[in-house]
Structure formats: structure tokens, C-alpha cells
Amino acid sequence: MLQVHRVSRRFGERRALDDVSFTVGGGRITGFVGANGAGKTTAMRIILGVLTPDSGTVTVDGRPIDADDRHAIGYMPEERGLYPKMKVAEQVAYLGRLHGMSKKAAEDSTSRLLDRLAIAERANDAVETLSLGNQQRAQIAAALVHEPTALVLDEPFSGLDPIGVETVLSVLRDAAAGGAPVLFSSHQLDVVERLCDDLVIIADGQVRAAGSRDQLRAEHGGDSWQLSTPGDLSWVASVSGVTGVEAAGDGVLFHADASTAQNVVRRAVEAGPVTSFGPQHPSLAQIFAEVVK
């Protein structure tokens, strides 16, 4: 488990992080979401020891993180950091050796990863000859080659087409299934929502929301309901306590407290068959818009 506890960091007069705390659980994938300049990359660099915090701590399994812990983390920066003239497999295996792997172990791990990431046929090509998406896959292989105890990935899906996204998702799920804490940032909220167990939303250097996906949906869902029926529902907007009525497929979405919503559905049942009724959970994009405004 990785834990960031009350971390703050300034750059001159600008406070990049302000008392930031969040946890990345072992075996869980945590999405780190925020606009450009929100503080995501600064927080990741502090976890890795690239930057030092002005205050606060980073711990691993309840103890202060040290150099050995950081050496065992798989890190992928947003900026591509591979040597452009080196061959793909040579580059990835070389980075494995830098992490203390034997030559054979590094080469075997490289071969497995390039195959999983569907770029094995480009293993002997120079990095600079790859498309941006394939360079991204190679960089992900470089982050995973030493079988890291945790992963910290800054925009790992940047430049990937839909097939590439699914390929990388599968690899990250396998890493988490092996017990590694996985933290990644992304602007692709649909991908974050689909992949993550937990979410951290940051804005202006402060954590605005954090928790499991289901927990955040429950906390920020408000009193939203969906009612579907083949009958006329125009009357719903006139019910006392109901607001925000809008059409949705063969029914309506509306806001109301639980008691009022039950009254609405009872009236609908009296008028005819009800196809479905239940709470409407917000998307990550809706939660993000709510907490950062």
C-alpha cells in the first residue's frame, strides 16, 4: 500500500500541492484525475523521490518510503523517456538490467511484455521508427520489465488507439491482480471509470474527492432517479418535491428525495406497467464537474 499523507509543495509563490492525502491500496487500481496543472505530476514525482515535499510524508505499508522501495516501483513519466536510436527490446531489457535483473531474466521479461503489448514484431526496430502509440506501449513495457512492486504511471493511455487502450488495460489489471498498488493519471475519464477500483480527484493542488468508484457515485449521486414505462409521464414534473425532470429513453430522469420518488413510482404503477425504476448513478465526468467547480 502506498500512502501520501498531508503533502504540500510550493514552487516559488505557487502552491502546487496543499495538504494532499490519498491511499493507493495493494492489488487495487487508483485513477488520479485532474486538469492540467492540478498537481498530479508533482504528487507522482514526490512519490518517486524526484521532488521532495515541503511537508508531509509518503509511506509504503505504513513505513516511510526509502530508496529501495522507490527503486522497485515501475514509473512511466508523461514525457517519453526512451532512447530513440536503441532497438525496442534492447532498450527495455537494458532498463531491466539497471533494476538489478540478470541478462536472461531481463530478456525473458522483455519478450513476454512485448508479446502481451502486441509489439513483439517491432522488437528489433529503433524506438524512433515506432508510431506514437507503439512508443507508448514500449514505454509501458519499460515500466513493467523489472516486475515492480508498485506502478506509478503518468498518462499511460496517451496516444493509444482503442485496441491499444484495451491491451494496456489488460496488462495493468494483471499487475494489480498480482498485488501491486497501481496509480495512474489520465484525462480519459471513460477509461478511468471503467478500469479503476478507486479514484482521487485533485484541483488547484487539493484533493476534492477520494474513495472507491461506488462510494463516490453514492456520495455525489444526489437524489437522482430513473423511471421507465410505456405510459405518459408528463405528470412527473408537476409532483411536489420533484425537480430536474428530463426525458431518458422510454422514461424520465428526475431529482427528488427517496420518499417523494416512492410516491412517484406508486402513482406510475397505478397508471400502468413500470418497466424499470431505480437510483441514477452519476458518471465520473459528472462527479468531476461537480467537485472541481
Side-chain angles (χ1 to χ4, degrees), residues 227-229 231-242 252 254 258-275 277:
L227 172 66
S228 296
T229 174
D232 174 50
L233 290 173
S234 59
W235 54 266
V236 174
S238 65
V239 175
S240 178
V242 169
V252 292
F254 64 94
S259 176
T260 301
Q262 291 300 323
N263 290 336
V264 170
V265 76
R266 277 194 292 269
R267 181 170 167 182
V269 168
E270 290 171 358
V274 169
T275 308
F277 170 72

PDB file of all heavy atoms in Angstrom, residues 227-229 231-242 252 254 258-275 277:
ATOM      1  N   LEU A 227     -37.109   6.475 -14.123  1.00  0.00           N
ATOM      2  CA  LEU A 227     -38.367   5.743 -14.189  1.00  0.00           C
ATOM      3  C   LEU A 227     -38.701   5.501 -15.649  1.00  0.00           C
ATOM      4  O   LEU A 227     -38.706   6.435 -16.453  1.00  0.00           O
ATOM      5  CB  LEU A 227     -39.488   6.561 -13.519  1.00  0.00           C
ATOM      6  CG  LEU A 227     -40.925   6.033 -13.657  1.00  0.00           C
ATOM      7  CD1 LEU A 227     -41.076   4.698 -12.924  1.00  0.00           C
ATOM      8  CD2 LEU A 227     -41.913   7.069 -13.113  1.00  0.00           C
ATOM      9  N   SER A 228     -38.954   4.244 -15.989  1.00  0.00           N
ATOM     10  CA  SER A 228     -39.297   3.905 -17.378  1.00  0.00           C
ATOM     11  C   SER A 228     -40.637   3.184 -17.413  1.00  0.00           C
ATOM     12  O   SER A 228     -40.892   2.276 -16.606  1.00  0.00           O
ATOM     13  CB  SER A 228     -38.223   3.002 -17.995  1.00  0.00           C
ATOM     14  OG  SER A 228     -36.986   3.678 -18.071  1.00  0.00           O
ATOM     15  N   THR A 229     -41.479   3.588 -18.338  1.00  0.00           N
ATOM     16  CA  THR A 229     -42.798   2.999 -18.503  1.00  0.00           C
ATOM     17  C   THR A 229     -43.313   3.350 -19.891  1.00  0.00           C
ATOM     18  O   THR A 229     -42.970   4.408 -20.436  1.00  0.00           O
ATOM     19  CB  THR A 229     -43.789   3.529 -17.438  1.00  0.00           C
ATOM     20  OG1 THR A 229     -45.106   3.034 -17.731  1.00  0.00           O
ATOM     21  CG2 THR A 229     -43.819   5.039 -17.403  1.00  0.00           C
ATOM     22  N   GLY A 231     -46.207   4.225 -20.543  1.00  0.00           N
ATOM     23  CA  GLY A 231     -47.271   5.215 -20.397  1.00  0.00           C
ATOM     24  C   GLY A 231     -46.758   6.644 -20.403  1.00  0.00           C
ATOM     25  O   GLY A 231     -45.556   6.916 -20.448  1.00  0.00           O
ATOM     26  N   ASP A 232     -47.665   7.572 -20.326  1.00  0.00           N
ATOM     27  CA  ASP A 232     -47.345   9.001 -20.304  1.00  0.00           C
ATOM     28  C   ASP A 232     -46.763   9.388 -18.943  1.00  0.00           C
ATOM     29  O   ASP A 232     -47.311   9.023 -17.895  1.00  0.00           O
ATOM     30  CB  ASP A 232     -48.611   9.815 -20.581  1.00  0.00           C
ATOM     31  CG  ASP A 232     -48.355  11.310 -20.425  1.00  0.00           C
ATOM     32  OD1 ASP A 232     -47.371  11.791 -21.018  1.00  0.00           O
ATOM     33  OD2 ASP A 232     -49.136  11.962 -19.710  1.00  0.00           O
ATOM     34  N   LEU A 233     -45.662  10.123 -18.962  1.00  0.00           N
ATOM     35  CA  LEU A 233     -45.012  10.541 -17.709  1.00  0.00           C
ATOM     36  C   LEU A 233     -44.892  12.056 -17.605  1.00  0.00           C
ATOM     37  O   LEU A 233     -44.123  12.568 -16.795  1.00  0.00           O
ATOM     38  CB  LEU A 233     -43.616   9.898 -17.599  1.00  0.00           C
ATOM     39  CG  LEU A 233     -43.578   8.384 -17.351  1.00  0.00           C
ATOM     40  CD1 LEU A 233     -42.148   7.864 -17.437  1.00  0.00           C
ATOM     41  CD2 LEU A 233     -44.168   8.044 -15.992  1.00  0.00           C
ATOM     42  N   SER A 234     -45.634  12.758 -18.401  1.00  0.00           N
ATOM     43  CA  SER A 234     -45.545  14.219 -18.372  1.00  0.00           C
ATOM     44  C   SER A 234     -45.963  14.782 -17.015  1.00  0.00           C
ATOM     45  O   SER A 234     -45.541  15.877 -16.632  1.00  0.00           O
ATOM     46  CB  SER A 234     -46.416  14.822 -19.476  1.00  0.00           C
ATOM     47  OG  SER A 234     -47.777  14.435 -19.317  1.00  0.00           O
ATOM     48  N   TRP A 235     -46.753  14.022 -16.270  1.00  0.00           N
ATOM     49  CA  TRP A 235     -47.240  14.474 -14.968  1.00  0.00           C
ATOM     50  C   TRP A 235     -46.152  14.515 -13.896  1.00  0.00           C
ATOM     51  O   TRP A 235     -46.304  15.174 -12.867  1.00  0.00           O
ATOM     52  CB  TRP A 235     -48.376  13.558 -14.489  1.00  0.00           C
ATOM     53  CG  TRP A 235     -47.999  12.102 -14.471  1.00  0.00           C
ATOM     54  CD1 TRP A 235     -48.215  11.206 -15.474  1.00  0.00           C
ATOM     55  CD2 TRP A 235     -47.352  11.392 -13.413  1.00  0.00           C
ATOM     56  NE1 TRP A 235     -47.726   9.965 -15.124  1.00  0.00           N
ATOM     57  CE2 TRP A 235     -47.200  10.057 -13.861  1.00  0.00           C
ATOM     58  CE3 TRP A 235     -46.876  11.737 -12.158  1.00  0.00           C
ATOM     59  CZ2 TRP A 235     -46.596   9.069 -13.082  1.00  0.00           C
ATOM     60  CZ3 TRP A 235     -46.274  10.764 -11.375  1.00  0.00           C
ATOM     61  CH2 TRP A 235     -46.137   9.447 -11.832  1.00  0.00           C
ATOM     62  N   VAL A 236     -45.029  13.801 -14.127  1.00  0.00           N
ATOM     63  CA  VAL A 236     -43.987  13.716 -13.094  1.00  0.00           C
ATOM     64  C   VAL A 236     -43.476  15.102 -12.711  1.00  0.00           C
ATOM     65  O   VAL A 236     -43.227  15.397 -11.538  1.00  0.00           O
ATOM     66  CB  VAL A 236     -42.818  12.822 -13.574  1.00  0.00           C
ATOM     67  CG1 VAL A 236     -41.663  12.860 -12.569  1.00  0.00           C
ATOM     68  CG2 VAL A 236     -43.296  11.387 -13.771  1.00  0.00           C
ATOM     69  N   ALA A 237     -43.341  15.997 -13.688  1.00  0.00           N
ATOM     70  CA  ALA A 237     -42.803  17.332 -13.426  1.00  0.00           C
ATOM     71  C   ALA A 237     -43.700  18.148 -12.504  1.00  0.00           C
ATOM     72  O   ALA A 237     -43.217  19.096 -11.855  1.00  0.00           O
ATOM     73  CB  ALA A 237     -42.598  18.073 -14.747  1.00  0.00           C
ATOM     74  N   SER A 238     -44.972  17.777 -12.400  1.00  0.00           N
ATOM     75  CA  SER A 238     -45.901  18.552 -11.561  1.00  0.00           C
ATOM     76  C   SER A 238     -45.978  18.048 -10.127  1.00  0.00           C
ATOM     77  O   SER A 238     -46.635  18.663  -9.283  1.00  0.00           O
ATOM     78  CB  SER A 238     -47.303  18.528 -12.186  1.00  0.00           C
ATOM     79  OG  SER A 238     -47.829  17.205 -12.173  1.00  0.00           O
ATOM     80  N   VAL A 239     -45.286  16.943  -9.829  1.00  0.00           N
ATOM     81  CA  VAL A 239     -45.330  16.384  -8.478  1.00  0.00           C
ATOM     82  C   VAL A 239     -44.521  17.265  -7.528  1.00  0.00           C
ATOM     83  O   VAL A 239     -43.366  17.636  -7.824  1.00  0.00           O
ATOM     84  CB  VAL A 239     -44.788  14.948  -8.463  1.00  0.00           C
ATOM     85  CG1 VAL A 239     -44.725  14.410  -7.035  1.00  0.00           C
ATOM     86  CG2 VAL A 239     -45.657  14.039  -9.336  1.00  0.00           C
ATOM     87  N   SER A 240     -45.090  17.605  -6.395  1.00  0.00           N
ATOM     88  CA  SER A 240     -44.400  18.435  -5.404  1.00  0.00           C
ATOM     89  C   SER A 240     -43.130  17.743  -4.920  1.00  0.00           C
ATOM     90  O   SER A 240     -43.155  16.556  -4.559  1.00  0.00           O
ATOM     91  CB  SER A 240     -45.332  18.699  -4.218  1.00  0.00           C
ATOM     92  OG  SER A 240     -44.675  19.448  -3.230  1.00  0.00           O
ATOM     93  N   GLY A 241     -42.029  18.469  -4.936  1.00  0.00           N
ATOM     94  CA  GLY A 241     -40.749  17.914  -4.489  1.00  0.00           C
ATOM     95  C   GLY A 241     -39.906  17.347  -5.598  1.00  0.00           C
ATOM     96  O   GLY A 241     -38.744  16.976  -5.372  1.00  0.00           O
ATOM     97  N   VAL A 242     -40.436  17.278  -6.817  1.00  0.00           N
ATOM     98  CA  VAL A 242     -39.694  16.755  -7.964  1.00  0.00           C
ATOM     99  C   VAL A 242     -39.104  17.915  -8.762  1.00  0.00           C
ATOM    100  O   VAL A 242     -39.793  18.900  -9.039  1.00  0.00           O
ATOM    101  CB  VAL A 242     -40.610  15.911  -8.870  1.00  0.00           C
ATOM    102  CG1 VAL A 242     -39.905  15.595 -10.194  1.00  0.00           C
ATOM    103  CG2 VAL A 242     -41.004  14.629  -8.172  1.00  0.00           C
ATOM    104  N   VAL A 252     -38.153   8.855 -17.813  1.00  0.00           N
ATOM    105  CA  VAL A 252     -37.654  10.161 -17.387  1.00  0.00           C
ATOM    106  C   VAL A 252     -36.604  10.000 -16.299  1.00  0.00           C
ATOM    107  O   VAL A 252     -36.564   9.003 -15.566  1.00  0.00           O
ATOM    108  CB  VAL A 252     -38.803  11.050 -16.836  1.00  0.00           C
ATOM    109  CG1 VAL A 252     -39.763  11.447 -17.929  1.00  0.00           C
ATOM    110  CG2 VAL A 252     -39.529  10.362 -15.676  1.00  0.00           C
ATOM    111  N   PHE A 254     -35.291  12.234 -12.934  1.00  0.00           N
ATOM    112  CA  PHE A 254     -35.761  13.337 -12.102  1.00  0.00           C
ATOM    113  C   PHE A 254     -35.029  13.342 -10.770  1.00  0.00           C
ATOM    114  O   PHE A 254     -34.420  12.335 -10.369  1.00  0.00           O
ATOM    115  CB  PHE A 254     -37.283  13.256 -11.872  1.00  0.00           C
ATOM    116  CG  PHE A 254     -37.741  12.040 -11.103  1.00  0.00           C
ATOM    117  CD1 PHE A 254     -37.914  12.082  -9.722  1.00  0.00           C
ATOM    118  CD2 PHE A 254     -38.018  10.845 -11.767  1.00  0.00           C
ATOM    119  CE1 PHE A 254     -38.352  10.974  -9.014  1.00  0.00           C
ATOM    120  CE2 PHE A 254     -38.454   9.732 -11.062  1.00  0.00           C
ATOM    121  CZ  PHE A 254     -38.619   9.797  -9.683  1.00  0.00           C
ATOM    122  N   ALA A 258     -36.004  10.323  -1.360  1.00  0.00           N
ATOM    123  CA  ALA A 258     -36.449   8.940  -1.507  1.00  0.00           C
ATOM    124  C   ALA A 258     -37.956   8.797  -1.314  1.00  0.00           C
ATOM    125  O   ALA A 258     -38.622   8.037  -2.038  1.00  0.00           O
ATOM    126  CB  ALA A 258     -35.696   8.047  -0.527  1.00  0.00           C
ATOM    127  N   SER A 259     -38.505   9.514  -0.364  1.00  0.00           N
ATOM    128  CA  SER A 259     -39.936   9.410  -0.095  1.00  0.00           C
ATOM    129  C   SER A 259     -40.758   9.894  -1.281  1.00  0.00           C
ATOM    130  O   SER A 259     -41.723   9.239  -1.703  1.00  0.00           O
ATOM    131  CB  SER A 259     -40.283  10.218   1.159  1.00  0.00           C
ATOM    132  OG  SER A 259     -41.671  10.202   1.398  1.00  0.00           O
ATOM    133  N   THR A 260     -40.367  11.036  -1.844  1.00  0.00           N
ATOM    134  CA  THR A 260     -41.090  11.565  -2.997  1.00  0.00           C
ATOM    135  C   THR A 260     -40.954  10.633  -4.194  1.00  0.00           C
ATOM    136  O   THR A 260     -41.917  10.405  -4.943  1.00  0.00           O
ATOM    137  CB  THR A 260     -40.563  12.966  -3.356  1.00  0.00           C
ATOM    138  OG1 THR A 260     -40.728  13.832  -2.232  1.00  0.00           O
ATOM    139  CG2 THR A 260     -41.283  13.540  -4.556  1.00  0.00           C
ATOM    140  N   ALA A 261     -39.743  10.065  -4.383  1.00  0.00           N
ATOM    141  CA  ALA A 261     -39.533   9.149  -5.503  1.00  0.00           C
ATOM    142  C   ALA A 261     -40.436   7.928  -5.386  1.00  0.00           C
ATOM    143  O   ALA A 261     -40.988   7.443  -6.390  1.00  0.00           O
ATOM    144  CB  ALA A 261     -38.066   8.726  -5.552  1.00  0.00           C
ATOM    145  N   GLN A 262     -40.622   7.425  -4.153  1.00  0.00           N
ATOM    146  CA  GLN A 262     -41.511   6.286  -3.961  1.00  0.00           C
ATOM    147  C   GLN A 262     -42.956   6.658  -4.291  1.00  0.00           C
ATOM    148  O   GLN A 262     -43.703   5.848  -4.847  1.00  0.00           O
ATOM    149  CB  GLN A 262     -41.402   5.784  -2.516  1.00  0.00           C
ATOM    150  CG  GLN A 262     -40.077   5.126  -2.175  1.00  0.00           C
ATOM    151  CD  GLN A 262     -39.782   3.902  -3.031  1.00  0.00           C
ATOM    152  OE1 GLN A 262     -40.700   3.142  -3.360  1.00  0.00           O
ATOM    153  NE2 GLN A 262     -38.523   3.719  -3.385  1.00  0.00           N
ATOM    154  N   ASN A 263     -43.349   7.861  -3.952  1.00  0.00           N
ATOM    155  CA  ASN A 263     -44.692   8.320  -4.310  1.00  0.00           C
ATOM    156  C   ASN A 263     -44.872   8.366  -5.825  1.00  0.00           C
ATOM    157  O   ASN A 263     -45.928   7.999  -6.355  1.00  0.00           O
ATOM    158  CB  ASN A 263     -44.956   9.709  -3.716  1.00  0.00           C
ATOM    159  CG  ASN A 263     -45.110   9.674  -2.212  1.00  0.00           C
ATOM    160  OD1 ASN A 263     -45.467   8.635  -1.641  1.00  0.00           O
ATOM    161  ND2 ASN A 263     -44.841  10.799  -1.558  1.00  0.00           N
ATOM    162  N   VAL A 264     -43.812   8.833  -6.523  1.00  0.00           N
ATOM    163  CA  VAL A 264     -43.871   8.900  -7.984  1.00  0.00           C
ATOM    164  C   VAL A 264     -44.050   7.509  -8.582  1.00  0.00           C
ATOM    165  O   VAL A 264     -44.898   7.291  -9.469  1.00  0.00           O
ATOM    166  CB  VAL A 264     -42.610   9.579  -8.548  1.00  0.00           C
ATOM    167  CG1 VAL A 264     -42.551   9.421 -10.072  1.00  0.00           C
ATOM    168  CG2 VAL A 264     -42.575  11.050  -8.169  1.00  0.00           C
ATOM    169  N   VAL A 265     -43.275   6.548  -8.108  1.00  0.00           N
ATOM    170  CA  VAL A 265     -43.357   5.220  -8.706  1.00  0.00           C
ATOM    171  C   VAL A 265     -44.670   4.536  -8.356  1.00  0.00           C
ATOM    172  O   VAL A 265     -45.236   3.798  -9.180  1.00  0.00           O
ATOM    173  CB  VAL A 265     -42.129   4.360  -8.300  1.00  0.00           C
ATOM    174  CG1 VAL A 265     -42.231   3.837  -6.872  1.00  0.00           C
ATOM    175  CG2 VAL A 265     -41.959   3.184  -9.269  1.00  0.00           C
ATOM    176  N   ARG A 266     -45.220   4.792  -7.158  1.00  0.00           N
ATOM    177  CA  ARG A 266     -46.531   4.230  -6.824  1.00  0.00           C
ATOM    178  C   ARG A 266     -47.607   4.759  -7.773  1.00  0.00           C
ATOM    179  O   ARG A 266     -48.457   3.998  -8.249  1.00  0.00           O
ATOM    180  CB  ARG A 266     -46.890   4.552  -5.366  1.00  0.00           C
ATOM    181  CG  ARG A 266     -46.272   3.597  -4.356  1.00  0.00           C
ATOM    182  CD  ARG A 266     -46.931   3.746  -2.994  1.00  0.00           C
ATOM    183  NE  ARG A 266     -46.626   5.035  -2.394  1.00  0.00           N
ATOM    184  CZ  ARG A 266     -45.591   5.258  -1.586  1.00  0.00           C
ATOM    185  NH1 ARG A 266     -44.748   4.262  -1.296  1.00  0.00           N
ATOM    186  NH2 ARG A 266     -45.392   6.454  -1.072  1.00  0.00           N
ATOM    187  N   ARG A 267     -47.537   6.061  -8.064  1.00  0.00           N
ATOM    188  CA  ARG A 267     -48.511   6.650  -8.982  1.00  0.00           C
ATOM    189  C   ARG A 267     -48.342   6.074 -10.384  1.00  0.00           C
ATOM    190  O   ARG A 267     -49.341   5.823 -11.087  1.00  0.00           O
ATOM    191  CB  ARG A 267     -48.344   8.167  -8.992  1.00  0.00           C
ATOM    192  CG  ARG A 267     -49.326   8.883  -9.902  1.00  0.00           C
ATOM    193  CD  ARG A 267     -49.264  10.381  -9.683  1.00  0.00           C
ATOM    194  NE  ARG A 267     -49.955  11.107 -10.747  1.00  0.00           N
ATOM    195  CZ  ARG A 267     -50.030  12.431 -10.833  1.00  0.00           C
ATOM    196  NH1 ARG A 267     -49.460  13.182  -9.890  1.00  0.00           N
ATOM    197  NH2 ARG A 267     -50.667  13.013 -11.838  1.00  0.00           N
ATOM    198  N   ALA A 268     -47.094   5.850 -10.780  1.00  0.00           N
ATOM    199  CA  ALA A 268     -46.845   5.274 -12.108  1.00  0.00           C
ATOM    200  C   ALA A 268     -47.399   3.861 -12.191  1.00  0.00           C
ATOM    201  O   ALA A 268     -47.987   3.471 -13.215  1.00  0.00           O
ATOM    202  CB  ALA A 268     -45.349   5.288 -12.408  1.00  0.00           C
ATOM    203  N   VAL A 269     -47.243   3.070 -11.132  1.00  0.00           N
ATOM    204  CA  VAL A 269     -47.749   1.690 -11.114  1.00  0.00           C
ATOM    205  C   VAL A 269     -49.271   1.684 -11.201  1.00  0.00           C
ATOM    206  O   VAL A 269     -49.877   0.824 -11.870  1.00  0.00           O
ATOM    207  CB  VAL A 269     -47.265   0.959  -9.847  1.00  0.00           C
ATOM    208  CG1 VAL A 269     -48.005  -0.361  -9.662  1.00  0.00           C
ATOM    209  CG2 VAL A 269     -45.760   0.724  -9.916  1.00  0.00           C
ATOM    210  N   GLU A 270     -49.902   2.632 -10.529  1.00  0.00           N
ATOM    211  CA  GLU A 270     -51.364   2.721 -10.582  1.00  0.00           C
ATOM    212  C   GLU A 270     -51.858   3.019 -11.996  1.00  0.00           C
ATOM    213  O   GLU A 270     -52.958   2.603 -12.388  1.00  0.00           O
ATOM    214  CB  GLU A 270     -51.857   3.815  -9.630  1.00  0.00           C
ATOM    215  CG  GLU A 270     -51.690   3.467  -8.157  1.00  0.00           C
ATOM    216  CD  GLU A 270     -51.982   4.653  -7.250  1.00  0.00           C
ATOM    217  OE1 GLU A 270     -52.270   5.751  -7.794  1.00  0.00           O
ATOM    218  OE2 GLU A 270     -51.893   4.495  -6.014  1.00  0.00           O
ATOM    219  N   ALA A 271     -51.037   3.727 -12.770  1.00  0.00           N
ATOM    220  CA  ALA A 271     -51.438   4.118 -14.123  1.00  0.00           C
ATOM    221  C   ALA A 271     -51.155   3.041 -15.161  1.00  0.00           C
ATOM    222  O   ALA A 271     -51.735   3.058 -16.253  1.00  0.00           O
ATOM    223  CB  ALA A 271     -50.727   5.407 -14.524  1.00  0.00           C
ATOM    224  N   GLY A 272     -50.263   2.099 -14.839  1.00  0.00           N
ATOM    225  CA  GLY A 272     -49.920   1.065 -15.808  1.00  0.00           C
ATOM    226  C   GLY A 272     -48.615   0.390 -15.452  1.00  0.00           C
ATOM    227  O   GLY A 272     -48.018   0.656 -14.397  1.00  0.00           O
ATOM    228  N   PRO A 273     -48.137  -0.483 -16.326  1.00  0.00           N
ATOM    229  CA  PRO A 273     -46.904  -1.222 -16.032  1.00  0.00           C
ATOM    230  C   PRO A 273     -45.673  -0.312 -15.990  1.00  0.00           C
ATOM    231  O   PRO A 273     -45.561   0.636 -16.780  1.00  0.00           O
ATOM    232  CB  PRO A 273     -46.801  -2.222 -17.185  1.00  0.00           C
ATOM    233  CG  PRO A 273     -47.557  -1.578 -18.304  1.00  0.00           C
ATOM    234  CD  PRO A 273     -48.691  -0.833 -17.646  1.00  0.00           C
ATOM    235  N   VAL A 274     -44.763  -0.588 -15.044  1.00  0.00           N
ATOM    236  CA  VAL A 274     -43.491   0.131 -14.931  1.00  0.00           C
ATOM    237  C   VAL A 274     -42.377  -0.797 -15.406  1.00  0.00           C
ATOM    238  O   VAL A 274     -42.227  -1.916 -14.891  1.00  0.00           O
ATOM    239  CB  VAL A 274     -43.234   0.600 -13.486  1.00  0.00           C
ATOM    240  CG1 VAL A 274     -41.800   1.111 -13.333  1.00  0.00           C
ATOM    241  CG2 VAL A 274     -44.231   1.678 -13.096  1.00  0.00           C
ATOM    242  N   THR A 275     -41.629  -0.355 -16.393  1.00  0.00           N
ATOM    243  CA  THR A 275     -40.538  -1.168 -16.950  1.00  0.00           C
ATOM    244  C   THR A 275     -39.354  -1.230 -16.008  1.00  0.00           C
ATOM    245  O   THR A 275     -38.780  -2.294 -15.767  1.00  0.00           O
ATOM    246  CB  THR A 275     -40.091  -0.596 -18.307  1.00  0.00           C
ATOM    247  OG1 THR A 275     -41.214  -0.442 -19.147  1.00  0.00           O
ATOM    248  CG2 THR A 275     -39.065  -1.514 -18.964  1.00  0.00           C
ATOM    249  N   PHE A 277     -37.294   1.080 -12.492  1.00  0.00           N
ATOM    250  CA  PHE A 277     -37.207   2.228 -11.589  1.00  0.00           C
ATOM    251  C   PHE A 277     -36.014   2.013 -10.674  1.00  0.00           C
ATOM    252  O   PHE A 277     -35.805   0.913 -10.161  1.00  0.00           O
ATOM    253  CB  PHE A 277     -38.472   2.376 -10.742  1.00  0.00           C
ATOM    254  CG  PHE A 277     -38.336   3.395  -9.639  1.00  0.00           C
ATOM    255  CD1 PHE A 277     -38.311   4.755  -9.934  1.00  0.00           C
ATOM    256  CD2 PHE A 277     -38.191   2.990  -8.322  1.00  0.00           C
ATOM    257  CE1 PHE A 277     -38.170   5.688  -8.927  1.00  0.00           C
ATOM    258  CE2 PHE A 277     -38.055   3.923  -7.305  1.00  0.00           C
ATOM    259  CZ  PHE A 277     -38.040   5.272  -7.608  1.00  0.00           C
TER     260      PHE A 277
END
